Amino acid sequence: MCGIVGYVGNDQAAPILLKGLEKLEYRGYDSAGVAVYDGTSIQVVKKQGRLKVLEDKIHNGADLAGTVGIGHTRWATHGKPSDVNAHPHLSSSGRFAVVHNGIIENYLSLKNSLIQKGYSFVSETDTEVIAQLLDYFYEGDLLDAVVRTIGKIEGSYALGILCRDQPDRIIGIRKDSPLIVGLGTGENFIASDIPAILGKTRDIYRLKENEIAVVEKTGVTVYNPKKVFVSKTPCHIDWDVSAAEKGGYDHFMAKEIMEQPKAVRDTISPRIKNGRIVLDDIQLTEEQLRNLSRIFIVACGSAYHVGVVAKYILERYTRIPVEVDVASEFRYRAPVVDNRVLVIIISQSGETADTLAALREAKRLGARTLSIVNVVGSSIANESDDVIYTWAGPEIAVATTKAYSTQLAVIYLLAIYIADKIGTMKPEEYRHYISELEALPDKIEKTLSGRDHVRQLARRFYRSNDIFFIGRNLDYAMSLEGSLKLKEISYIHSEAYAAGELKHGTISLIEEGTLVVALATQQKLFEKMMGNVKEVKARGAVVLGVTTEDNQQIEKETDCAIYIPRTCEMMLPSLAVLPLQAFAYYVASLKGCDIDKPRNLAKSVTVE
Ligand code: G6P
């Protein structure tokens, strides 16, 4: 997500902060800013756009005097990319400057109560409430104000805090977002990520959840939220810059696969309040939902595969007919669309040319449009009637993983939300699905912890020339994504088939030893799937089954198996996709492929 840097020492802070931010540029961002205490007040300079714009504005930092400061590169979540929404954010009093990485879930209610207390806000961000809250609670004891502030905010955060009244220090604190402290000589640092400080020191503290670091030039003291001193052991980093950027993983794709529990949690959790789904972000009324004659889902690539999952889910739970279209097809096929149609557009980048054109076509035909987008302020987000953002953070690997998973999460939220509004889901079912949604990030984490077994299977199969994926209904949708992931990054020929359809032609390609990955996660279709497994085994296939952990009898039919935790049927795709991503990753890695930048592919396809 966003990048944080903080410095306190004897040197001019601003150039050091800018250098640190440069090292975080690889993460992606839309604006940047710094705050430095100049001896009398906190000076803040922030600019939308590349870091270079900020660097030029302050002459690489030379314009800002002062030896203590904080800096930030922002990836927008709340509020579009702009100078005013960029961090650091100042309290109205000018006493506090804050940089933040994460999402404050209850910022709206906090903002309203602060407005009633006379505070005024200048940005659309969730972060600004933190600066104001610190000011509200500050009575001369900085640590106390920090503790009282974090007692009020809900969500995820890594924070860098600068206080005009105590300008010899910066504060770093984290919950569900990373933050480290860099330990120098006569100078110390905070950063959201190791590359930012590698040019200065290799000794760090890793802050644990809710630990508060008081960082001064002569030393760093760490406290727990009860203000009790915590003894920390420094950790020495011997990664090079490239390994550090990837958090120690070999590839961004591996890092992003492992970020999925957090990405899904960040996407779901702010939208469930007191056991209810709250979609503050959309204007779609209950009446409009009740009047819908049809839903279209339009997207490209993996986002289209989310659409295929969504069709099964939305139709099943809302009973509204759903059509899924590849964007490049939708725009030229004269779809039957009018003002009783909702067109859902799914796009990580928000800039895919065909998807954007399809959105415009849908609007021209009079449909209501709702987009599910990761990049705030992107063209698709700007032009849709409603937007639900996936808060996956920047995704660097071309092959999508965490954005895909957060798109699925939004589909569950939307399906449950619509079904509840139009009365196709009973209250007890609603409660059940909410609790399953809340448990999902932990189950994703548990599934990922089994990745070593997937790695072993990849070792067994990575020399394959063809790999087939089969499944029914939701498992068919997962087959599409598993197969795409594999061919994108490993260049192995692969096809995905609805399991019952294979025998109508493609089964002729199955030979002795061909690997077939059979997805059988849905209990009611398990026996049917075993029938299809028998069909391919009779033609010589080697079968890798994927099912839930209570279905171990699958190995009577298959040659090997991967198990995922149990969850409700609707949410099985979120778990089933994980071993498929990992399988593709390990196979590509064993083949020595350029995993993060596969040949012929682009992260964002902005041409037709
Ligand atoms: C490209 C990427 C895919 C992505 C597709 C749609 O083909 O390589 O990973 O799924 O575009 O991109 P979007 O940004 O619209 O989700």
Side-chain angles (χ1 to χ4, degrees), residues 180-183 194 197-198 200-206 232-240 244:
I180 56 157
V181 177
L183 305 167
I194 290 166
I197 48 120
L198 269 192
K200 291 286 183 182
T201 177
R202 290 185 165 270
D203 294 311
I204 66 159
Y205 289 151
R206 287 182 195 280
K232 301 285 289 180
T233 313
C235 158
H236 186 76
I237 300 293
D238 39 28
W239 299 337
D240 61 17

Side-chain angles (χ1 to χ4, degrees), residues 343-399:
V343 175
I344 301 177
I345 300 281
I346 308 177
S347 175
Q348 186 283 130
S349 62
E351 300 295 348
T352 303
D354 279 317
T355 314
L356 179 58
L359 165 70
R360 290 176 178 160
E361 177 65 3
K363 290 187 79 169
R364 193 184 67 79
L365 295 169
R368 173 101 198 166
T369 56
L370 183 157
S371 62
I372 300 172
V373 176
N374 196 39
V375 179
V376 175
S378 55
S379 306
I380 290 173
N382 283 344
E383 293 187 27
S384 307
D385 297 321
D386 283 312
V387 191
I388 301 181
Y389 285 112
T390 49
W391 285 318
E395 194 175 58
I396 295 169
V398 166

Side-chain angles (χ1 to χ4, degrees), residues 294-531:
R294 190 169 294 266
I295 296 174
F296 279 78
I297 303 179
V298 184
C300 298
S302 293
Y304 166 75
H305 292 160
V306 172
V308 181
V309 176
K311 174 182 167 69
Y312 288 106
I313 292 177
L314 285 166
E315 283 190 340
R316 171 145 182 208
Y317 295 97
T318 70
R319 305 311 296 152
I320 302 171
V322 178
E323 289 193 36
V324 196
D325 256 306
V326 167
S328 53
E329 288 296 305
F330 177 89
R331 55 186 293 204
Y332 295 120
R333 79 169 174 85
V336 183
V337 170
D338 59 24
N339 62 4
R340 289 186 58 211
V341 163
L342 174 67
V343 175
I344 301 177
I345 300 281
I346 308 177
S347 175
Q348 186 283 130
S349 62
E351 300 295 348
T352 303
D354 279 317
T355 314
L356 179 58
L359 165 70
R360 290 176 178 160
E361 177 65 3
K363 290 187 79 169
R364 193 184 67 79
L365 295 169
R368 173 101 198 166
T369 56
L370 183 157
S371 62
I372 300 172
V373 176
N374 196 39
V375 179
V376 175
S378 55
S379 306
I380 290 173
N382 283 344
E383 293 187 27
S384 307
D385 297 321
D386 283 312
V387 191
I388 301 181
Y389 285 112
T390 49
W391 285 318
E395 194 175 58
I396 295 169
V398 166
T400 178
T401 51
K402 62 175 181 169
Y404 174 91
S405 283
T406 55
Q407 288 162 357
L408 281 183
V410 171
I411 291 299
Y412 307 150
L413 284 165
L414 204 54
I416 301 167
Y417 178 84
I418 297 176
D420 176 58
K421 289 266 181 249
I422 66 174
T424 52
M425 184 177 277
K426 296 193 189 99
E428 62 271 22
E429 290 173 320
Y430 184 87
R431 280 194 294 277
H432 170 67
Y433 289 120
I434 295 292
S435 73
E436 289 286 357
L437 257 183
E438 288 176 323
L440 191 60
D442 286 346
K443 289 186 184 176
I444 291 177
E445 201 156 351
K446 183 175 172 206
T447 312
L448 289 172
S449 69
R451 63 193 181 282
D452 253 3
H453 173 57
V454 181
R455 192 202 310 254
Q456 282 162 20
L457 290 167
R459 226 173 256 134
R460 180 167 162 194
F461 294 117
Y462 78 97
R463 291 191 187 84
S464 305
N465 291 322
D466 306 281
I467 298 181
F468 292 82
F469 289 74
I470 57 171
R472 288 167 179 262
N473 290 9
L474 289 173
D475 283 328
Y476 167 56
M478 301 325 295
S479 300
L480 292 171
E481 179 59 7
S483 171
L484 178 66
K485 216 76 309 175
L486 182 79
K487 61 190 148 201
E488 275 184 306
I489 61 170
S490 76
Y491 316 139
I492 292 177
H493 166 254
S494 173
E495 293 194 38
Y497 259 82
E501 182 63 12
L502 194 72
K503 57 181 156 298
H504 297 289
T506 309
I507 202 164
S508 63
L509 297 177
I510 306 288
E511 296 175 345
E512 200 58 40
T514 305
L515 176 61
V516 174
V517 180
L519 284 115
T521 67
Q522 301 153 102
Q523 202 53 47
K524 66 173 193 282
L525 294 169
F526 187 80
E527 289 308 324
K528 289 268 171 247
M529 273 306 296
M530 292 309 103

